[in-house]
């Protein structure tokens, strides 16, 4: 493997650093947007300087190409001439130069692990390194994972299988007692079977090529008292199987979730382009990163909620079991002008009110999203143009919100701005139905105008129905007839809103919205003496 530069990344004084330690984008010149880059790659221009030839690159040759106008970088054994891309890189030229003339795999993974460099730079491919490529990190030997997690993580899980004449049952032994149906994600297609189990901060993956065909529908059962998951498959033919199947990529692996989470969603990345009114959180996706899996979901319905916000309903494939945990997000992926583009979204319920009917089993085959359409954006207009019956790729869920935060909770405060309301939907549903200790829920919902308020009538009906819920709307640009609160998030608004009945009450404050809103809100909450454990900010 090539030597990796030891310098910190991003560079301490580079444009990509900001004073607070977070990461921000560098303003690009006009004509240097993502769409401009895509157009350039499709123009037929020779971006490698090799006139279409692919070559084997030695380490010595790679080192020679270390200048801005002649910059080669190796990523996972493939060498790219990134000089043409310099002016299009959102992080600035200095960051690309950190890996100039060297193997930039580790530097790339620190910040850009999810970027689909193979698609973005395919016209810049020089060739393959003349040595064995670096192995993708994240998959540790079983013994090493067990040793690493021994003190703070779970014991190593295991699985087994058994069969009847018509059924095959795969049993996963998690060795944990906090497992539920949200913890297991199952996908099978043709003879490929994949089961991801979330165990604390790890992902246990079973990935098998089945020895015989099975039907699409299956069932999942969790025995919480012993931490066992049973996945029951229906055989297509009632014959006895001699073996379950053959292992596929990363089968029977326990992966620390820090190796599968998205660097763009970490706290260090929430300081992005200050103008959050535009659609700035778009990035291309690398499908080969360990732990992230997509399935195609069908658009079933789309309805207007406000003048620029839609409620999308997607149907999961019949061969998928996926329940997104409260407070977590997924990624939606669409091909746009030949490049796969993704954006993170938090699923919601189909309605605020329907969840409060006396217990019914949730319909786990549908996922709902409240999405604001940015007409000058790249991703959401394409999403809005989809027709009923079209398909969208949906990832497995991610996020660091723990439902254990609700244990013995007495006072819950929710601060939301715009579509930052989306994670609050399921939190509201859960809080008002499943937290027996809860005394009060208060939502302060910030918007520009009355027309921007998502599900206003539903919120008002819900507050009328359940006296534990208070809802306050705050508008930044109201009409003169508006009688409610107005302005932006401020100490005065929060100090009045965050009154607690009992001094020793167990409290949680959740906040979500544009990054400046969230950052300022967290600072104000800290100034009001709320502890770190009492604040959760959603940054996706």
């Amino acid at each position: 493997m090539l030597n990796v530069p030891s310098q910190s990344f991003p560079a301490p004084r580079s444009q990509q650093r900001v004073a607070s330690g977070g990461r921000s984008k560098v303003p690009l010149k006009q004509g240097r947007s993502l769409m401009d880059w895509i157009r350039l790659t499709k123009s037929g221009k020779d971006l490698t300087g090799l006139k279409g030839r692919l070559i084997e690159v030695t380490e010595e040759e790679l080192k020679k190409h270390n200048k801005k106008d002649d910059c080669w970088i190796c990523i996972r054994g493939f060498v790219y001439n990134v000089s043409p891309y310099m002016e299009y890189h959102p992080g600035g030229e200095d960051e690309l130069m950190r890996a100039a003339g060297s193997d930039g795999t580790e530097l790339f993974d620190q910040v850009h692990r999810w970027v689909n460099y193979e698609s973005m730079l395919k016209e810049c491919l020089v060739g393959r390194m003349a040595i064995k490529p670096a192995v993708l990190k994240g998959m540790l030997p079983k013994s090493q994972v067990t040793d690493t997690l021994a003190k703070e993580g779970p014991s190593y899980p295991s699985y087994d299988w058994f069969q009847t004449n018509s059924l095959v049952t795969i049993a996963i032994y998690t060795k944990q007692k906090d497992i539920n149906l949200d913890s297991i994600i199952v996908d099978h297609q043709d003879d490929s079977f994949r089961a991801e189990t979330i165990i604390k901060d790890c992902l246990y993956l079973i990935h098998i090529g089945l020895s015989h065909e099975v039907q699409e529908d299956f069932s999942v059962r969790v025995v919480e008292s012993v931490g066992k998951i049973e996945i029951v498959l229906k055989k297509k033919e009632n014959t006895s199987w001699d073996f379950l199947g053959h292992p596929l990529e990363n089968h029977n692996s326990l992966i620390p979730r820090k190796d599968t989470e998205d660097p763009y969603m970490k706290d260090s990345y929430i300081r992005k382009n200050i103008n959050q009114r535009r659609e700035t959180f778009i990035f291309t996706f690398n499908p080969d990163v360990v732990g992230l899996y997509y399935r195609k979901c069908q658009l079933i319905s789309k309805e207007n909620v406000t003048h620029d916000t839609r409620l999308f309903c997607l149907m999961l494939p019949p061969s998928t079991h996926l329940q997104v945990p409260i407070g977590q997000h997924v990624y939606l992926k669409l091909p746009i002008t030949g490049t796969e583009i993704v954006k993170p979204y938090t699923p919601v319920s189909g309605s605020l009110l329907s969840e409060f009917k006396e217990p019914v089993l949730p319909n786990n085959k549908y996922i709902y999203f409240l999405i604001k359409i940015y007409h000058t954006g790249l991703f959401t207009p394409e999403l809005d143009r989809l027709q009923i019956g079209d398909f969208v790729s949906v990832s497995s869920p991610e996020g660091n919100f723990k439902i254990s935060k609700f244990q013995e909770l007495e006072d819950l405060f929710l601060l939301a701005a715009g579509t930052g309301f989306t994670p609050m939907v399921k939190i509201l549903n859960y809080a008002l139905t499943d937290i027996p200790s809860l005394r009060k829920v208060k939502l302060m919902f910030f918007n520009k105008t009355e027309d921007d308020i998502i599900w206003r009538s539903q919120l008002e009906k819900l507050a009328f129905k359940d006296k534990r819920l208070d809802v306050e709307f705050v508008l930044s640009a109201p009409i003169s007839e508006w009688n409610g609160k107005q302005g932006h998030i401020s100490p005065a608004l929060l100090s009045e809103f965050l009154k607690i009945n009992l001094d020793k009450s167990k409290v949680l404050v959740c906040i979500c919205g544009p990054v400046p809103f969230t950052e300022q809100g967290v600072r104000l909450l800290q100034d009001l003496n709320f502890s770190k454990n009492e604040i959760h900010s959603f940054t996706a």
Side-chain angles (χ1 to χ4, degrees):
M1 181 176 174
L2 297 176
N3 293 326
V4 177
S6 60
Q7 297 98 325
S8 63
F9 182 78
R13 288 180 296 277
S14 78
Q15 293 171 299
Q16 201 168 349
R17 290 273 186 184
V18 292
S20 57
R23 198 178 157 268
S24 65
K25 295 183 179 180
V26 173
L28 298 175
K29 298 177 183 177
Q30 188 173 1
R32 295 297 185 269
S33 68
L34 173 60
M35 287 302 298
D36 292 316
W37 173 251
I38 293 173
R39 280 192 284 267
L40 178 60
T41 62
K42 296 182 180 298
S43 68
K45 185 176 180 180
D46 179 14
L47 300 183
T48 66
L50 298 176
K51 298 180 179 179
R53 291 184 299 118
L54 292 177
I55 63 174
E56 264 197 343
V57 182
T58 63
E59 185 172 351
E60 292 72 23
E61 179 65 24
L62 179 64
K63 288 178 180 178
K64 297 176 184 177
H65 302 271
N66 60 0
K67 301 178 180 64
K68 284 187 179 180
D69 60 352
D70 182 20
C71 182
W72 291 7
I73 293 176
C74 174
I75 304 176
R76 297 194 178 92
F78 291 93
V79 179
Y80 299 89
N81 179 1
V82 299
S83 300
Y85 183 60
M86 286 283 180
E87 293 186 347
Y88 297 83
H89 184 230
E93 297 177 0
D94 290 347
E95 297 314 317
L96 286 177
M97 290 303 298
R98 304 308 295 174
S102 67
D103 186 337
T105 302
E106 291 193 13
L107 302 185
F108 174 84
D109 283 347
Q110 287 178 32
V111 175
H112 296 304
R113 161 184 288 253
W114 299 96
V115 174
N116 186 355
Y117 65 92
E118 292 169 312
S119 175
M120 289 286 289
L121 300 176
K122 62 184 177 181
E123 299 302 325
C124 300
L125 180 64
V126 171
R128 183 188 288 269
M129 287 300 297
I131 61 174
K132 184 178 179 180
V135 176
L136 174 63
K137 289 193 167 186
M139 299 310 306
L140 302 177
K142 178 176 176 179
S143 59
Q144 190 174 345
V145 172
T146 306
D147 293 343
T148 302
L149 301 176
K151 292 183 180 179
E152 58 184 11
S155 302
Y156 203 90
S158 60
Y159 78 99
D160 201 353
W161 72 286
F162 52 91
Q163 63 179 312
T164 65
N165 191 44
S166 59
L167 303 175
V168 170
T169 300
I170 299 173
I172 301 172
Y173 304 97
T174 67
K175 302 180 175 66
Q176 302 294 311
K177 292 186 178 181
D178 56 351
I179 300 297
N180 53 46
L181 285 172
D182 292 353
S183 306
I184 178 72
I185 304 158
V186 180
D187 293 275
H188 73 82
Q189 185 174 10
D190 299 325
D191 65 342
S192 175
F193 173 87
R194 180 186 179 95
E196 303 175 21
T197 307
I198 301 169
I199 306 175
K200 294 190 181 298
D201 292 324
C202 296
L203 184 73
Y204 178 55
L205 177 62
I206 294 176
H207 196 192
I208 297 171
L210 298 174
S211 62
H212 293 70
E213 290 185 335
V214 296
Q215 299 179 36
E216 279 190 333
D217 59 317
F218 62 97
S219 61
V220 179
R221 186 171 75 99
V222 174
V223 185
E224 295 185 22
S225 58
V226 295
K228 183 173 75 168
I229 299 169
E230 291 184 344
I231 304 164
V232 181
L233 307 175
K234 298 177 182 178
K235 297 179 179 178
K236 274 197 173 179
E237 297 182 358
N238 295 341
T239 58
S240 178
W241 294 16
D242 294 330
F243 61 100
L244 181 60
H246 59 277
L248 299 177
E249 185 179 10
N250 302 323
H251 169 62
N252 199 27
S253 298
L254 185 65
I255 310 163
R257 290 190 82 193
K258 65 182 180 181
D259 290 333
T260 65
E261 71 179 355
D262 179 5
Y264 285 86
M265 297 301 114
K266 292 182 180 177
D267 290 341
S268 62
Y269 190 70
I270 69 172
R271 299 169 181 86
K272 301 183 179 77
N273 189 326
I274 197 69
N275 186 357
Q276 299 303 321
R277 305 304 298 176
R278 296 196 304 270
E279 190 176 26
T280 57
F281 302 147
I282 299 176
F283 45 91
T284 56
F285 166 69
N286 179 358
D288 297 324
V289 174
V290 175
L292 190 62
Y293 182 82
Y294 278 72
R295 69 280 303 152
K296 288 187 176 181
C297 298
Q298 190 172 31
L299 179 62
I300 298 300
S301 66
K302 178 175 62 175
E303 63 181 68
N304 294 330
V305 176
T306 71
H307 61 99
D308 61 1
T309 302
R310 316 273 189 267
L311 178 66
F312 291 83
C313 176
L314 302 179
M315 183 173 66
L316 291 164
S319 54
T320 292
H321 167 85
L322 169 62
Q323 294 182 203
V324 180
I326 293 170
Q328 297 200 10
H329 58 270
V330 298
Y331 303 101
L332 302 186
K333 178 172 67 173
L334 287 174
I336 301 176
T337 63
T339 301
E340 291 180 335
I341 308 293
V342 305
K343 277 198 73 179
Y345 291 103
T346 302
V348 299
S349 308
S351 165
L352 273 175
L353 301 174
S354 61
E355 298 293 321
F356 293 88
K357 296 174 182 176
E358 275 309 306
V360 292
L361 291 175
N363 189 338
N364 297 322
K365 286 299 178 184
Y366 298 95
I367 306 181
Y368 294 89
F369 297 94
L370 283 168
I371 297 176
K372 181 175 180 178
I373 306 302
Y374 295 84
H375 295 293
T376 59
L378 177 65
F379 188 87
T380 56
E382 195 72 20
L383 188 67
D384 198 31
R385 281 192 285 268
L386 293 179
Q387 302 297 310
I388 303 303
D390 288 345
F391 287 86
V392 181
S393 294
V394 179
S395 78
S396 298
E398 290 189 339
N400 57 8
F401 186 83
K402 300 287 192 302
I403 202 168
S404 58
K405 290 177 178 286
F406 291 140
Q407 290 180 358
E408 300 179 357
L409 186 67
E410 295 168 288
D411 290 287
L412 175 62
F413 298 96
L414 307 176
L415 300 170
T419 49
F421 171 66
T422 55
M424 309 308 177
V425 173
K426 286 192 174 183
I427 288 176
L428 271 175
N429 288 336
Y430 184 85
L432 294 174
T433 55
D434 291 290
I435 306 180
S437 58
L438 189 71
R439 282 200 306 262
K440 198 69 180 175
V441 184
K442 296 181 74 175
L443 168 67
M444 182 170 277
F445 195 1
F446 294 79
N447 286 278
K448 186 175 181 180
T449 69
E450 284 186 83
D451 291 339
D452 296 317
I453 301 175
I454 297 171
W455 281 351
R456 178 180 180 179
S457 63
Q458 290 194 39
L459 284 167
E460 291 172 339
K461 288 177 183 177
L462 188 56
F464 179 80
K465 182 177 181 179
D466 195 317
K467 300 307 179 185
R468 293 173 299 169
L469 174 63
D470 285 342
V471 180
E472 296 182 17
F473 301 111
V474 183
L475 302 183
S476 61
I479 59 175
S480 57
E481 291 81 6
W482 172 253
N483 295 320
K485 289 184 168 63
Q486 53 185 290
H488 300 275
I489 191 167
S490 65
L493 281 174
L494 291 190
S495 58
E496 180 184 352
F497 175 70
L498 297 168
K499 289 180 180 177
I500 301 171
N501 294 329
L502 299 176
D503 290 340
K504 296 183 179 180
S505 173
K506 184 173 180 182
V507 177
L508 178 64
V509 184
C510 295
I511 182 168
C512 187
V515 172
F517 170 88
T518 302
E519 287 187 326
Q520 185 181 3
V522 170
R523 286 194 297 268
L524 293 175
L525 291 170
Q526 292 170 343
D527 292 342
L528 291 170
N529 297 318
F530 285 89
S531 69
K532 182 179 179 181
N533 291 334
E534 292 174 329
I535 303 170
H536 184 87
S537 60
F538 296 94
T539 58

